[in-house]
Amino acid sequence: MAEPVPVVTIDGPSGSGKGTVAAEVARRLGWRILDSGALYRLVGLAARRAGVDFADAEALARLAAGLPVRFDDGRIFLDGEEVTLAIRTETAGNDASRVAALPEVRQALLRWQRDYARPPGLVADGRDMGTVVFPRAPVKIFLDASARERARRRYKQLKEQGIDVNLSDLVAEIEERDRRDRNRSVAPLRPAEDALVIDSTDLSVEEVVEQVLQAVRRKLPAAGAGER
Ligand code: C5P
C-alpha cells in the first residue's frame, strides 16, 4: 500500500491568521495547500449570484457538488470569471458561514477536500480539517486569538484596501460568525483532541509559523528535513 500523504491541519476562527500561516508553512515545506474556507465562500457566492434560496439545502448541495471552479496560481475563477477578491468580502464570508451550517453542503465538499491530499504533502486550513476532513492527520494545529485582536487585524487589512469600516461593527460581526461556527450541530469549530492549540494574540506570523514547523519536525522528521 502507498504511504499515506502527510497532512498538517490548521483550524481556528476567522482572523486567527490561519490563512497566512498555512500559506507560509506550505511554502517552507514545498507542500500543497487547501484553503477550505474559499470553497464555502465560492458556494455562497455562486448561490447568491444564481438566486438560490439559502434555506434550500438540497439545491445548495447540488450547486456545491458541481461548482465550475478553477484555481490558477493563487487566482480563483467561477464559471470563467475571476472571483479572487469577490469571495473575500464580508457578505461572502457571512454567506459562506450560512451555507457551511448545512450538512448536505459539507458532505458535497468532503471528497473534493480529501482529494487535495497528494504527495509530497498537504497543509489544510479551515474549521474542521483536524476533526472531520483529515482526522488521522499527524500534525493538527488550532490557532486562536482574542475576538478584539482578530477584528483589529481585519480592520487594518480593510483599511489598506481603502475600505472604510467601523471597528466595533467588525468585533460584533466576528463574534456573531464565531457563535454560528462554534454552535452549529455539524462540524462545529473546536480543537481536535490531539491538536496543539496556539494563541496568536501576542505572536507574530513568523513566531506562529516556527511553532507549527517545530510540531512538523517532531512528528514528521523526514518532512522537516526538506524545508526551504
Ligand atoms: O476561513 P474563511 O473565513 O474563509 O471561511 C469562511 C466561512 O466558511 C467560515 O466562517 C465558516 O463558517 C466556513 N468554513 C467551514 N469549514 C471550513 C472552512 C470554512 O465551515 N473548513
Side-chain angles (χ1 to χ4, degrees), residues 137-152:
V139 181
K140 297 181 184 177
I141 308 291
F142 190 86
L143 196 54
D144 213 343
S146 70
R148 196 155 185 92
E149 172 61 17
R150 289 183 286 125
R152 205 190 53 74

Side-chain angles (χ1 to χ4, degrees), residues 39-40 43 64 104-114:
L39 305 185
Y40 290 96
V43 177
E104 294 86 346
V105 171
R106 305 199 72 87
Q107 186 61 35
L109 294 181
L110 198 55
R111 209 172 61 197
W112 191 6
Q113 296 177 85
R114 288 186 175 150

